[in-house]
Amino acid sequence: MLKGKTALVTGSTSGIGLGIARALAAQGANIVLNGFGDTEGPKAEIAALGVKVAYHGADMSKPAEIEAMMTFAAAQFGQVDILVNNAGIQHVAKIENFPVERWDAVLAINLSSAFHATRLALPAMQAAHGGKGWGRIINVASVHGLVGSAEKSAYVAAKHGIVGLTKVTALENATTGVTCNAICPGWVLTPLVQKQVDAKAAAGGISNEQATQQLLGEKEPSMQFTTPEELGALAVFFCSPAGNNVRGVAWNMDGGWAAQ
Ligand code: NAD
């Protein structure tokens, strides 16, 4: 379905980003990966799906590096048709103890990076299909883009912000073939969440399994994690013809978290 298209997925060396990259590649899209840590494993995994893959190591907190990544992607594959703004970090502390430097980092990586990548991707998307436009911008927000949780001020502020940015991006392009939507996962067992499970286990002197059950029990009625595969399938839907007029939604996949 996406053969000949190019998808750039930020923060795609692990977790949800890698899951979405995998799902888009399985539909035939060429992929530009980004993120830290092991890059060879994810690159080989995507290439094995029979598509072209490139990697750029832009630090998403740095606008100049984001600009270099977008130029690199266009040089590699012509243009970016699908942009998935996924890179994100977490920091947990009460507001009065929240390190100012962590606040700035969370806002830069989880929110401002999406603004920069979006503003740089839009002109080519708007010019596609003889000026009628075609493009998909998918922002990986969070259920924390819809509701709050204590000790996550920067994350909740950034995720509410990205849901707002999603709506404005969708509205400004509503008469074109460029859509923008947000995905709002509940708990997904990635390294980002494993750290929170480990902290809970250490603080309570309990096992990993008990900490996991506690974490789910506090927020997620389904008592199960959403998977990167499920989130990848939702991203594929947004890219499909059926998604042509889905604009500005914040779609939660959260086991009922926000329904409470
Ligand atoms: P993860 O830690 O597994 O992956 C984060 C990715 O972002 C990695 O590839 C990492 O290298 C990259 N990254 C981090 N800082 C970066 C930077 N400065 N520049 C470039 N890349 C950077 O985490 P994840 O759980 O897969 O999170 C992905 C997204 O999903 C985040 O935006 C997160 O807020 C969101 N999310 C996660 C959950 C969850 O439960 N895991 C729930 C809701 C939303």
Side-chain angles (χ1 to χ4, degrees):
M1 189 178 75
L2 299 175
K3 209 167 167 43
K5 302 264 193 260
T6 296
L8 186 157
V9 187
T10 70
S12 47
T13 48
S14 114
I16 294 169
L18 182 56
I20 292 177
R22 235 185 254 127
L24 296 175
Q27 295 296 323
N30 297 323
I31 303 289
V32 182
L33 294 170
N34 158 261
F36 302 146
D38 174 35
T39 56
E40 288 313 312
K43 263 170 79 177
E45 196 188 314
I46 298 292
L49 294 168
V51 299
K52 292 188 203 140
V53 57
Y55 166 79
H56 194 281
D59 178 338
M60 295 304 293
S61 68
K62 304 208 161 84
E65 294 190 22
I66 298 171
E67 220 159 311
M69 177 181 71
M70 299 306 289
T71 304
F72 165 84
Q76 289 283 311
F77 296 128
Q79 75 170 72
V80 173
D81 306 286
I82 300 163
L83 170 66
V84 183
N85 289 310
N86 167 78
I89 58 168
Q90 176 63 284
H91 188 83
V92 180
K94 287 195 169 165
I95 293 173
E96 60 272 29
N97 302 325
F98 213 94
V100 171
E101 165 278 322
R102 284 291 87 197
W103 170 275
D104 289 342
V106 171
L107 269 287
I109 296 166
N110 295 22
L111 177 58
S112 298
S113 73
F115 160 69
H116 292 297
T118 298
R119 74 180 168 81
L120 295 163
L122 273 173
M125 290 181 177
Q126 290 161 343
H129 288 200
K132 284 196 290 192
W134 196 92
R136 295 289 187 262
I137 299 174
I138 300 170
N139 292 327
V140 179
S142 165
V143 66
H144 283 119
L146 306 169
V147 299
S149 287
E151 303 194 9
K152 295 186 175 173
S153 55
Y155 190 85
V156 169
K159 294 300 186 182
H160 275 66
I162 204 169
V163 168
L165 176 66
T166 302
K167 292 175 182 171
V168 175
T169 307
L171 290 175
E172 288 185 5
N173 292 280
T175 59
T176 77
V178 181
T179 72
C180 179
N181 293 290
I183 297 179
C184 299
W187 293 123
V188 186
L189 194 54
T190 65
L192 183 140
V193 163
Q194 188 59 52
K195 277 189 212 149
Q196 295 173 61
V197 172
D198 294 345
K200 203 176 248 309
I206 53 177
S207 70
N208 198 288
E209 176 56 25
Q210 287 168 317
T212 302
Q213 290 306 309
Q214 258 187 31
L215 184 102
L216 287 168
E218 284 163 11
K219 301 280 186 183
E220 193 141 332
S222 66
M223 290 301 286
Q224 64 188 36
F225 290 105
T226 301
T227 65
E229 289 72 24
E230 288 161 352
L231 296 164
L234 181 54
V236 167
F237 166 72
F238 285 142
C239 294
S240 74
N244 278 350
N245 209 23
V246 181
R247 297 176 187 269
V249 306
W251 190 319
N252 31 329
M253 249 195 189
D254 63 358
W257 183 325
Q260 298 169 94

